[in-house]
Amino acid sequence: MQDNLFSTMQPHLVDFTFDAAVADVFPDMLRRSIPGYDNIIAMLGVLAKSYAQDKSNVYDLGCSLGAATLSVHRHTRALSMQHFCVDNSPAMIKRCETKLQRHMPEALVYCVCDDIQNIEIKDASVVLLNFTLQFLPKKARLALLKTIYQGLLPNGVLILSEKLLFNDNEVNQHHIDWHHQFKRANGYSELEISQKRAAIEKVLIPDTLETHQSRLAKAGFTQTQQWFQAFNFSSLIAIKSAGY
Ligand code: GEK
């Protein structure tokens, strides 16, 4: 279904929520709003294949409709792994469960409707935070990364994709303008772009790349690589070294 949720003037714009109306148009919304989204999803599977371990767990935190889990499974189906898909939106997790049952029926998948801060992470070889950390209060982000680090096996990885903020105002504005051009090129109108921006700005709070890198280091990760960036959207891979 096509995303036209913000195409008509909304007299009382409320903060963005991941409700049923959003879940119904979500694949179209992400594809047309996040530069490189399909590419990132495909590469999550490619990267996961290098680090996935037999008899380990994979966590997709803020899984929405399970696109990242599907990609990981596509590349790792020869291994025996348990997939934990977590989202606190009932509309998302319900659709996710149906979709994964249909597309990976042979896999061990647990779809959990909860806040990702309440989840115990253990025996994990791959943890995905694909555009989710940005929705957590800033002061809760380090604690979650520490929990993830503790729950990872040696050589395990966290893949963290986020919208970025830039310290330099002019540079930041360029990225915002390029992103809006990308949305226009994908058929969003000026009204849709401005109403979506107003609805999401209090719930999606981006950090700079440097903040992410230093927070990952504080959580324990000694190796972090930025493997993707398109405008102000980026993805990092953080590895838990074998010595720990
Ligand atoms: C993808 N990863 O397609 N606990 C659990 N879920 C949360 C929380 C929380 N505290 N906060 C937000 N979410 C997906 C895309 S979307 C990104 C992720 C976006 C969930 C929220 O319900 C939504 O489904 C998801 O995180 C963010 O690969 O919409 O920009």
Side-chain angles (χ1 to χ4, degrees):
M1 273 170 73
Q2 186 168 357
D3 167 27
N4 51 23
L5 296 179
F6 292 95
S7 60
T8 53
M9 180 66 90
Q10 302 186 10
H12 305 292
L13 206 56
V14 291
D15 287 346
F16 188 82
T17 50
F18 293 96
D19 57 13
V22 169
D24 283 340
V25 299
F26 203 61
D28 181 65
M29 177 184 280
L30 288 196
R31 233 172 249 135
R32 290 163 67 213
S33 305
I34 300 184
Y37 174 75
D38 283 338
N39 203 242
I40 293 171
I41 289 292
M43 292 309 127
L44 290 181
V46 172
L47 288 169
K49 189 179 169 71
S50 299
Y51 299 95
Q53 299 173 32
D54 201 29
K55 302 189 176 63
S56 70
N57 297 330
V58 179
Y59 292 83
D60 183 355
L61 304 177
C63 58
S64 301
L65 305 180
T69 292
L70 271 174
S71 175
V72 171
H73 178 65
R74 201 168 294 135
H75 291 266
T76 61
R77 60 176 86 226
L79 299 175
S80 160
M81 298 196 301
Q82 299 191 103
H83 294 266
F84 293 89
C85 296
V86 185
D87 204 292
N88 64 356
S89 155
M92 289 289 184
I93 208 77
K94 190 165 156 255
R95 287 160 179 76
C96 178
E97 194 159 26
T98 307
K99 193 171 162 186
L100 298 187
Q101 269 166 6
R102 186 177 327 130
H103 294 288
M104 41 192 279
E106 76 290 3
L108 263 180
V109 184
Y110 303 94
C111 290
V112 183
C113 189
D114 202 347
D115 193 302
I116 54 176
Q117 296 168 93
N118 299 335
I119 301 300
E120 188 194 0
I121 311 280
K122 58 174 189 200
D123 300 329
S125 58
V126 178
V127 178
L128 307 170
L129 274 172
N130 202 38
F131 299 107
T132 307
L133 191 68
Q134 58 199 12
F135 293 104
L136 243 57
K138 278 200 177 196
K139 55 182 188 318
R141 296 178 186 182
L142 177 59
L144 178 68
L145 296 192
K146 283 184 177 168
T147 303
I148 292 171
Y149 182 81
Q150 294 305 328
L152 276 170
L153 296 164
N155 289 321
V157 291
L158 163 65
I159 305 177
L160 171 67
S161 309
E162 290 273 295
K163 185 175 187 180
L164 291 181
L165 176 75
F166 297 83
N167 280 326
D168 184 304
N169 282 342
E170 207 174 313
V171 172
N172 200 48
Q173 197 51 53
H174 281 306
H175 281 278
I176 291 169
D177 292 345
W178 297 333
H179 178 223
H180 288 174
Q181 287 292 8
F182 168 83
K183 293 187 76 168
R184 280 180 204 110
N186 282 329
Y188 282 117
S189 66
E190 295 308 319
L191 182 66
E192 286 175 298
I193 293 171
S194 67
Q195 292 197 127
K196 171 79 182 281
R197 189 174 182 198
I200 208 154
E201 72 185 359
K202 282 200 221 99
V203 290
L204 189 171
I205 314 292
D207 281 315
T208 63
L209 177 62
E210 297 73 23
T211 299
H212 284 298
Q213 289 166 329
S214 70
R215 189 187 287 128
L216 286 163
K218 275 189 204 137
F221 292 98
T222 47
Q223 275 191 66
T224 299
Q225 292 288 322
Q226 185 193 30
W227 66 270
F228 177 91
Q229 186 175 333
F231 309 140
N232 41 355
F233 291 80
S234 183
S235 190
L236 308 175
I237 181 164
I239 305 168
K240 178 166 178 169
S241 63
Y244 292 87

